[in-house]
Amino acid sequence: MDQRRSQDGPRREPIRSPGLWIAMAVIVLAGVPFYLPAGSTRPLLLGVPYWVAISVAFTVVFAAFVSWICLRRWNVVEPEEQAERGRGEAA
């Protein structure tokens, strides 16, 4: 994988994007099965209560989403680094 991805485009910080925060909040809230009936353990999925499977699935979704944000949406190259790189290519 290309390790210089952050230097390919303009500076972007996803922390300033409210849509990403909303998506993260929805994933976290969906992973906490408060919306299921209290004390329910049936049906079992692979030997565990279904609410555990729901929680694990949304944990994986959250990890994948945060990984996608870090790999594709985050570009925080510092202006000094970018200027230094430009000088190196010009020489």
Side-chain angles (χ1 to χ4, degrees):
M1 184 188 304
D2 185 16
Q3 295 295 327
R4 297 183 183 189
R5 181 179 310 279
S6 64
Q7 298 168 350
D8 292 342
R11 184 176 178 157
R12 292 188 315 241
E13 292 189 33
I15 197 168
R16 300 177 195 275
S17 174
L20 293 176
W21 286 105
I22 292 169
M24 289 173 68
V26 167
I27 292 170
V28 168
L29 289 175
V32 181
F34 61 88
Y35 47 84
L36 299 175
S40 62
T41 59
R42 298 278 182 211
L44 295 178
L45 298 174
L46 301 173
V48 297
Y50 68 104
W51 61 267
V52 173
I54 291 171
S55 186
V56 168
F58 277 102
T59 300
V60 170
V61 168
F62 184 78
F65 184 67
V66 171
S67 295
W68 175 78
I69 291 170
C70 290
L71 290 173
R72 302 288 178 206
R73 302 275 302 188
W74 210 308
N75 187 356
V76 291
V77 67
E78 297 296 325
E80 297 84 23
E81 292 175 4
Q82 196 167 15
E84 185 177 303
R85 182 173 181 224
R87 285 191 300 261
E89 290 178 356

